Amino acid sequence: MAKFGLRLEARPAPSQLMSWLSPVLALLLTVIVGALLFVALGHDPLAGLAVFFVEPLRDAHGWSELGIKVAPLLLIAVGLAICFRANVYNIGAEGQLTLGAICGGAAALYLDDEVGGGAMIAVALAAGMAGGMAWAGITAWLRDRYNASEILVSLMLVYIAQLLLSYLVYGVLRDPEGFNFPQSKLLSDGLLLPMVISDTRLHLGIVFALLASLGGWLYLSKSISGFRLRVGGMAPAAARYAGFSSRKALWSSLLICGALSGLAGACEVLGPMGQLTPTVSPGYGFAAIIVAFVGRLHPVGVIFSSFIMALFYIGGELAQSRLGLPSAITGVFQGMLLFALLACDVLIQYKLRWSKHG
């Protein structure tokens, strides 16, 4: 008896336009599925979607809070875009962010004399970048020396970094006057990042993030090193034939990503947090992977996708307080966006066909 089924058939010429519209379609699908989710949970879908996509944009305070979320997401996503363009799958940006927070926070605590100043802030930020680079360098060295999988190594280092942070804030970095809470002392005002907009919490990190996006674009599109890196990622055989070093691309992409992730961690400590705690990030390093792919691995494209992801974070917080939904709602929207993007990308490359067999 003949059986019918669906199969994927490769398209002879995938549409370049649709590849750029795919993130927009993925976002629309996420909105539609999100509306159905709110209905299933017994909530008005329009009110639920308004909490995610309208409420954060009502006033200057909402925009500034979005900027606080955009800053680390954008910094990390630019670094990840460079890594993925080089065909280096760094999944451990969360750990590099954590090491940046540890090193930047520890440097700030050591330098804190209740005076601070631009030079001391710069030292603390540089320490954060160095910490992120060192953590990414472990992955690069193990991949380079022993051909270890950068996916597994970088991911496992995330948990080591988080345990190290817990060890420090429960131990040597704990505030002796903090009533035994696992946190460092508060940094003095002189060591906190300046605010970009007065009467808000939006700090200088957003400027660093936008500059990183511009720098990443210039690096990939205008420099010889960036060209070699992109060729090595798209066509490794051609890169080897041309004499381009895959080893150099591995180290440079991971160290750039580590530096930007470490800067994001240091900015969190010197910015909205003002101290070290056992949890520095709500998962920015993992969410930035989605941001990078939604932004099409383009250092400028990730500005749009980091803004969308920041909306998910703020909307998730508002959904908890106003709709009584669990905190997992943020992760649900992130996951829906990722799956929708993957589905759209598959249908750009392939078309569905009915097939008869048997």
Side-chain angles (χ1 to χ4, degrees), residues 20 27 51 54 64 80 92 102 171 199 251 299 322 332 341 344:
W20 285 101
L27 179 59
V51 166
V54 178
S64 67
L80 289 176
I102 291 172
D199 299 324
W251 278 95
R322 298 189 183 183
V332 170
L341 180 69
C344 290

Side-chain angles (χ1 to χ4, degrees), residues 83-89 227-236 239 249:
C83 272
F84 297 155
R85 284 288 193 95
N87 207 24
V88 175
Y89 288 93
F227 172 74
R228 291 174 175 174
L229 183 144
R230 288 187 291 115
V231 172
M234 291 186 294

Side-chain angles (χ1 to χ4, degrees), residues 169-188:
V169 296
Y170 277 92
V172 295
L173 294 182
R174 183 166 58 183
D175 183 2
E177 300 178 1
F179 302 101
N180 217 31
F181 284 100
Q183 58 192 30
S184 72
K185 70 175 185 177
L186 289 168
L187 297 174
S188 63

Side-chain angles (χ1 to χ4, degrees), residues 7-319:
R7 64 182 179 86
L8 291 172
E9 180 180 301
R11 295 182 185 272
S15 170
Q16 185 66 31
L17 175 62
M18 289 305 298
S19 69
W20 285 101
L21 289 178
S22 177
V24 179
L25 294 175
L27 179 59
L28 291 176
L29 285 173
T30 302
V31 171
I32 293 170
V33 177
L36 295 176
L37 176 63
F38 285 125
V39 171
L41 294 173
H43 293 283
D44 180 358
L46 294 180
L49 292 175
V51 166
F52 268 85
F53 299 105
V54 178
E55 289 296 328
L57 307 177
R58 284 189 180 277
D59 52 31
H61 172 75
W63 281 93
S64 67
E65 290 298 309
L66 273 174
I68 292 173
K69 301 290 186 184
V70 166
L73 288 168
L74 181 53
L75 279 168
I76 300 168
V78 170
L80 289 176
I82 292 172
C83 272
F84 297 155
R85 284 288 193 95
N87 207 24
V88 175
Y89 288 93
N90 175 20
I91 310 298
E94 182 78 2
Q96 293 145 31
L97 177 150
T98 303
L99 253 292
I102 291 172
C103 294
L109 290 168
Y110 177 78
L111 295 170
D112 196 347
D113 58 1
E114 300 185 357
V115 177
M120 291 188 177
I121 292 174
V123 169
L125 293 176
M129 296 177 69
M133 291 176 69
W135 211 242
I138 297 174
T139 300
W141 180 74
L142 289 173
R143 164 71 186 275
D144 184 27
R145 180 70 176 81
Y146 299 104
N147 200 30
S149 168
E150 74 273 17
I151 297 174
L152 295 177
V153 172
S154 61
L155 181 60
M156 293 300 101
L157 285 172
V158 171
Y159 303 105
I160 297 174
Q162 291 172 341
L163 290 171
L164 176 60
L165 174 61
S166 294
Y167 170 78
L168 292 172
V169 296
Y170 277 92
V172 295
L173 294 182
R174 183 166 58 183
D175 183 2
E177 300 178 1
F179 302 101
N180 217 31
F181 284 100
Q183 58 192 30
S184 72
K185 70 175 185 177
L186 289 168
L187 297 174
S188 63
D189 291 343
L191 274 167
L192 298 179
L193 290 174
M195 297 298 112
V196 175
I197 301 175
S198 60
D199 299 324
T200 69
R201 299 197 304 149
L202 185 59
H203 54 78
L204 200 59
I206 188 64
V207 177
F208 295 150
L210 293 173
L211 290 175
S213 177
L214 175 61
W217 173 71
L218 292 173
Y219 172 72
L220 287 175
S221 62
K222 304 297 181 182
S223 72
I224 296 297
S225 176
F227 172 74
R228 291 174 175 174
L229 183 144
R230 288 187 291 115
V231 172
M234 291 186 294
R240 286 193 298 270
Y241 180 79
F244 297 168
S245 172
S246 60
R247 184 170 181 261
K248 184 176 180 180
L250 167 72
W251 278 95
S252 60
S253 61
L254 276 170
L255 291 181
I256 290 172
C257 187
L260 292 176
S261 300
L263 178 61
C267 286
E268 286 298 291
V269 176
L270 275 64
M273 296 179 63
Q275 63 181 154
L276 278 170
T277 65
T279 303
V280 172
S281 162
Y284 291 138
F286 295 118
I289 298 172
I290 304 175
V291 170
F293 280 105
V294 173
R296 284 296 180 242
L297 303 184
H298 194 289
V300 177
V302 294
I303 296 176
F304 161 77
S305 52
S306 61
F307 177 78
I308 298 301
M309 193 61 67
L311 275 176
F312 287 171
Y313 274 111
I314 300 294
E317 294 170 1
L318 292 175

